[in-house]
């Protein structure tokens, strides 16, 4: 697998995760991003032994986009701290089925993860194990795909919960295109494509220079190409 590396130095590596690849070490023989990043580092410095690769955040397997990995423990601590303090800005694009009531807004919910089914759902505040989830959205473009109205939507993720965007958008009546887990219309459709969600942009402070860095990749996938994407760099 050829990595699309957006930035690299001694402390961090910013890369585009392809759709269909696990963002952390997989339990199977299929490729995963951590293994691929280690191979890359070993190619550059083969005599250093097993390289350190710190997983800072995750993307679901069917979701592609920008990710940052730490190459040292110090960098991992700094980046993880930024995540916990909500200093790392994550911007996604999604194609949702239906149209939100408002063209822009925010969803604040409590999500609970079912470990047995690997699914999450919106629950009442106070439920044991429920975690606060917040995102902001903006409708960029809407059009009909077949007989269904769909919207290209920009999403700024404020918290990083399990399947958060997929669960919240579905819970508020606009499930993601192609999402077999949370979109009832495609759950039984084996011909459905990948979930229409892409991690477009990632911004954070460099662990040591403290300079604000920002990286972006235009959304990829057949359903995204149905929209103009003209306003997306």
């Amino acid at each position: 697998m050829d990595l699309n590396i957006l930035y690299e130095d001694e402390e961090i590596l910013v890369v585009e995760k392809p759709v269909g690849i696990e963002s952390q070490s997989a339990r199977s023989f299929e490729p995963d991003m951590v293994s691929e990043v280690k191979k890359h580092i070993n190619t550059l410095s083969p005599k250093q032994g097993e390289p350190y690769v710190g997983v800072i955040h995750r993307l679901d397997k069917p979701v592609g986009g920008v990710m940052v990995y730490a190459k040292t423990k110090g960098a991992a601590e700094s980046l993880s701290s930024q995540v916990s303090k909500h200093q790392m800005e994550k911007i996604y694009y999604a194609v949702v089925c239906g149209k939100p009531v408002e063209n822009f807004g925010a969803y604040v919910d409590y999500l609970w993860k079912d470990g047995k089914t690997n699914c999450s759902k919106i629950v009442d505040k106070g439920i044991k194990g429920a975690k606060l989830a917040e995102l902001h959205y903006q409708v960029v473009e809407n059009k009909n795909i077949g007989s269904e109205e769909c919207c290209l939507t920009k999403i700024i993720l404020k918290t990083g919960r399990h399947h958060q965007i997929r669960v919240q958008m579905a819970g508020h009546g606009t499930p993601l295109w192609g999402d077999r887990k949370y979109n009832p219309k495609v759950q039984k459709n084996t011909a459905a494509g990948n979930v229409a969600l892409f991690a477009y942009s990632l911004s954070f402070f460099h662990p040591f220079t403290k300079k604000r860095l920002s990286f972006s990749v235009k959304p990829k996938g057949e359903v995204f190409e149905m929209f103009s994407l003209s306003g997306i760099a």
Side-chain angles (χ1 to χ4, degrees), residues 78-94:
S78 173
L79 293 171
S80 296
S81 176
Q82 292 181 51
V83 172
S84 64
K85 294 177 181 177
H86 308 296
Q87 294 174 336
M88 185 176 286
E89 184 182 64
K90 304 172 185 176
I91 300 177
Y92 292 73
Y93 278 91

Side-chain angles (χ1 to χ4, degrees), residues 102-172:
E102 303 291 341
N103 284 329
F104 60 90
Y107 294 148
V108 180
D109 301 293
Y110 283 85
L111 302 189
W112 177 81
K113 178 183 177 181
D114 185 341
K116 294 181 180 179
T117 62
N118 194 37
C119 290
S120 292
K121 63 180 180 179
I122 296 175
V123 297
D124 293 332
K125 180 180 179 180
I127 297 293
K128 185 178 179 180
K131 296 181 178 180
L132 179 69
E134 179 181 356
L135 63 78
H136 294 201
Y137 72 88
Q138 178 184 351
V139 175
V140 178
E141 183 183 352
N142 65 294
K143 66 181 301 179
N144 289 335
I145 299 178
S147 60
E148 188 160 22
E149 182 180 24
C150 296
C151 294
L152 177 66
T153 308
K154 178 181 180 180
I155 297 170
I156 300 177
L157 199 60
K158 295 297 183 179
T159 54
R161 307 306 181 197
H162 178 256
H163 292 170
Q164 180 180 336
I165 294 174
R166 299 162 67 181
V167 175
Q168 286 193 280
M169 298 310 289
H172 290 272

Side-chain angles (χ1 to χ4, degrees), residues 11-12 52 56 70-82 206-208 210:
E11 305 296 335
I12 63 174
Y52 176 86
I56 309 304
K71 295 171 66 177
T72 67
K73 291 184 179 180
E77 290 175 1
S78 173
L79 293 171
S80 296
S81 176
Q82 292 181 51
H206 190 279
F208 290 96
K210 306 305 179 186

